[in-house]
Amino acid sequence: MANGLDDVVAADTVLSDVDGAGGHLTIRGHSLMELAGRWRYAQVVRLLFDGFFDDLPSDTELEKAIGNARVEVFDRVQPMVAQLAPLDIYSGMRAGMAVLPDGDGLADALRLIAAQAVLTPALLRLGRGETPVAPDENADHAGDMLRMLSGTASPALAKALDSYLVTVCDHGLNASTFATRVVASTQAGLTSAILAGLGALKGPLHGGAPGPVIEMLDAIEASGDATAWLRKEIAHGERIMGFGHRIYRVRDPRADALKAVVRQLGSRSETGSRLAFAETVEQAALEVLRIAKPQRSIQTNVEFYTALLLEAVGFPKEAFSNVFAAGRVAGWIAHAREQQATGRLIRPQSRYVGPVPDLVA
Ligand code: COA
């Protein structure tokens, strides 16, 4: 039996489809390329939530409702957020989310979306010795995240972050989405289900890779020789962060979607030169991996250009997984609702391979 449940179909879903051979991602009937850079995050939330919540408002009203939820969550977590600031930024966000009500309604869902946007900037500011900035209920979600982080948000950076949130909003039955669905299948509330997703996303084999991508780029820059550095890592049995995928055997389409966004920001000189350097490293890594692992097609994945994009919009690398979660939470919630609606507990079997007790006569 495959330990990673490879090729096991564990759910029927209308939410997204990952075509690993063709390199296509479909989100509720739309290709990623149709959505990324064109749809706003609130529109994609509506797309994912449609049919899973009663009385879903229009896109504009939903954007406003998410704004209201940011204000509500900020007020709710403000008394405790300073106590969370000494934790690492991911644990701080997770702990802040754990206090939210564990219901199943739209208000609960919007609070969970809002919480990730509110907690991460607040925790980062407290970590820098600054006071958290309150949300603006009338601002767009991504722009407000940046404003809460740095006090201002240029429209170009806000649009880039919005495109990122859209690009990572859902992705089939990945580890965190599966974890979310398992908890949702017990009919625990949305907060419990999303906390399970958050736990799974954190690991470096899933959503924890983009921070290490930045560390890798910095180390390669310092070494002055990308190929030699990468070969040495492989020789030591290390994995090259931002490359490889369980499903994609060709290039991850999200990598191209995000690279296009970073390219648009490239007129800012530091982003342009970082992108040019990253492209050189990418080519070197693909070549080193092709030679080192000829039996496996290892291509660039979403995390490589996630790292560049989130760095360009102003997030420090220790908060990259938080921002990934801020996008993915919409997909998690929709999957949780889809799973709850089946009414079926997820309860697979294990095969016992341990010692057997002596039979008592
Ligand atoms: N660097 C080096 N080798 C890699 C690799 C990488 N990024 N990704 C896969 N491989 C190698 C494995 O070492 C293994 O080699 P072996 O057969 O000689 O032991 C082979 O490819 C198959 O690996 P496997 O672990 O079965 O693939 P997987 O389907 O589980 O891998 C990932 C998927 C994402 C876990 C893996 O590619 C990885 O660890 N990538 C780096 C982390 C990352 O970018 N994560 C974000 C994913 S979106």
Side-chain angles (χ1 to χ4, degrees), residues 204-206 209 234 238-246 249 252 254 289 293 295-296 298 301-303:
L205 300 190
H206 189 9
I234 295 283
E238 299 293 337
R239 290 182 178 216
I240 309 301
M241 290 292 134
F243 295 87
H245 200 273
R246 176 63 59 83
R249 287 293 158 260
D252 182 336
R254 299 167 301 171
L289 287 166
K293 307 280 172 185
Q295 75 288 4
R296 180 91 167 180
I298 303 176
N301 68 42
V302 65
E303 308 291 22

Side-chain angles (χ1 to χ4, degrees), residues 113-197:
I113 291 175
Q116 275 159 342
V118 163
L119 281 160
T120 302
L123 291 165
L124 285 169
R125 287 185 72 89
L126 284 164
R128 301 193 300 238
E130 298 167 358
T131 311
V133 171
D136 173 358
E137 61 193 336
N138 296 312
D140 70 279
H141 193 59
D144 207 24
M145 266 177 93
L146 293 181
R147 203 186 56 78
M148 288 186 276
L149 178 68
S150 59
T152 57
S154 85
L157 295 185
K159 187 169 186 311
L161 179 60
D162 194 61
S163 301
Y164 172 73
L165 299 177
V166 168
T167 300
V168 300
C169 70
D170 199 42
H171 199 242
L173 203 58
N174 56 81
S176 58
T177 300
F178 184 52
T180 300
R181 287 188 78 122
V182 169
V183 173
S185 83
T186 71
Q187 305 294 341
L190 287 174
T191 298
S192 295
I194 273 38
L195 287 170

Side-chain angles (χ1 to χ4, degrees), residues 4 20 36 51 68 76 84 95 136 145 156 199 208 216 219 253 305 314 333 347-348:
N68 291 336
R76 192 188 278 264
L84 304 179
D136 173 358
M145 266 177 93
M216 172 179 80
Y305 286 102
I333 292 167
R347 202 317 186 178

Side-chain angles (χ1 to χ4, degrees), residues 35-361:
L35 302 177
R38 295 191 173 88
W39 285 43
R40 292 163 69 92
Y41 187 62
Q43 287 178 283
V44 172
V45 170
R46 193 177 191 290
L47 177 73
L48 290 168
F49 282 12
D50 192 19
F52 294 116
F53 292 98
D54 296 333
D55 304 324
L56 204 57
S58 69
D59 291 341
T60 317
E61 287 164 345
L62 188 63
E63 180 127 40
K64 183 75 176 58
I66 294 172
N68 291 336
R70 285 195 304 275
V71 173
E72 184 201 326
V73 169
F74 185 81
D75 292 343
R76 192 188 278 264
V77 298
Q78 217 182 6
M80 61 182 283
V81 78
Q83 284 165 289
L84 304 179
L87 299 173
D88 70 80
I89 191 78
Y90 200 86
S91 303
M93 172 188 69
R94 195 177 45 192
M97 295 193 59
V99 304
L100 297 178
D102 211 1
D104 292 321
L106 182 61
D108 301 290
L110 299 186
R111 246 182 249 119
L112 287 161
I113 291 175
Q116 275 159 342
V118 163
L119 281 160
T120 302
L123 291 165
L124 285 169
R125 287 185 72 89
L126 284 164
R128 301 193 300 238
E130 298 167 358
T131 311
V133 171
D136 173 358
E137 61 193 336
N138 296 312
D140 70 279
H141 193 59
D144 207 24
M145 266 177 93
L146 293 181
R147 203 186 56 78
M148 288 186 276
L149 178 68
S150 59
T152 57
S154 85
L157 295 185
K159 187 169 186 311
L161 179 60
D162 194 61
S163 301
Y164 172 73
L165 299 177
V166 168
T167 300
V168 300
C169 70
D170 199 42
H171 199 242
L173 203 58
N174 56 81
S176 58
T177 300
F178 184 52
T180 300
R181 287 188 78 122
V182 169
V183 173
S185 83
T186 71
Q187 305 294 341
L190 287 174
T191 298
S192 295
I194 273 38
L195 287 170
L198 277 173
L201 188 78
K202 184 184 178 201
L205 300 190
H206 189 9
V213 167
I214 291 293
E215 284 156 19
M216 172 179 80
L217 290 176
D218 290 343
I220 291 177
E221 197 161 27
S223 83
D225 185 339
T227 302
W229 190 94
L230 291 159
R231 276 198 195 129
K232 205 167 146 201
E233 288 292 294
I234 295 283
H236 286 134
E238 299 293 337
R239 290 182 178 216
I240 309 301
M241 290 292 134
F243 295 87
H245 200 273
R246 176 63 59 83
I247 307 288
Y248 291 119
R249 287 293 158 260
V250 294
R251 208 176 154 78
D252 182 336
R254 299 167 301 171
D256 286 329
L258 297 182
K259 186 174 175 176
V261 176
V262 178
R263 197 179 291 290
Q264 278 171 11
L265 290 177
S267 53
R268 292 151 40 98
S269 59
E270 68 277 22
T271 304
S273 53
R274 189 70 154 160
L275 175 61
F277 177 67
E279 284 178 307
T280 314
V281 171
E282 182 186 11
Q283 289 316 312
L286 291 173
E287 183 60 11
V288 167
L289 287 166
R290 191 180 63 77
I291 293 166
K293 307 280 172 185
Q295 75 288 4
R296 180 91 167 180
S297 170
I298 303 176
Q299 304 293 328
T300 317
N301 68 42
V302 65
E303 308 291 22
F304 193 74
Y305 286 102
T306 287
L308 259 66
L309 192 154
L310 295 184
E311 182 183 63
V313 302
F315 281 100
K317 63 179 188 297
E318 61 272 18
F320 286 178
S321 302
N322 295 45
V323 189
F324 189 169
R328 182 57 57 81
V329 66
W332 286 336
I333 292 167
H335 275 274
R337 295 290 295 164
E338 189 179 49
Q339 184 64 44
Q340 286 169 343
T342 69
R344 188 77 183 155
L345 176 72
I346 295 178
R347 202 317 186 178
Q349 299 227 30
S350 52
R351 185 158 37 108
Y352 181 66
V353 294
V356 289
D358 293 333
L359 288 178
V360 180

